Amino acid sequence: MTEPHPLSRLDETVHQRARLGILAVLSERTDADFSYLKRALALTDGNLGRHLDVLVGSGLVALRRGYDGRRTRTWARITPAGRQALLTELDLLRSIAALVEAARDDEG
């Protein structure tokens, strides 16, 4: 029996472009506020909010609300489960890239 292609194991929660971006940015930092994520990923408020809701609901990101002076702010941080999900996704993408490279080498 053939083993399933790595593509079949991609996690749709993580693989979506904006969510993958959020996890990648958060993996580089201790945390990031909503405004930083919005600018870094070129997302609208509503779009970023919806993707954060999905990631929080999946346990991949945690939010903290507080104040910066008088302004209410929201900070996000990647959870250990989120970091593991990101690493798993990257490993799968590397596997897919290796298969594509091997096929290209076989053609040449």
Side-chain angles (χ1 to χ4, degrees), residues 16-57:
Q16 197 284 338
R17 184 191 67 81
R19 293 191 289 263
L20 184 60
I22 291 166
L23 292 172
V25 168
L26 293 177
S27 74
E28 301 165 7
R29 312 169 60 87
T30 303
D31 61 11
D33 73 358
F34 191 90
S35 297
Y36 178 83
L37 289 171
K38 188 173 106 169
R39 281 189 316 275
L41 300 169
L43 297 172
T44 64
D45 285 354
N47 199 266
L48 176 57
R50 178 66 188 122
H51 288 296
L52 284 172
D53 286 345
V54 170
L55 292 169
V56 168

Side-chain angles (χ1 to χ4, degrees), residues 78-96:
I78 193 168
T79 64
R83 188 170 306 282
Q84 185 56 54
L86 176 61
L87 293 173
T88 298
E89 194 76 6
L90 293 174
D91 286 343
L92 287 168
L93 290 171
R94 284 186 199 97
S95 297
I96 293 166

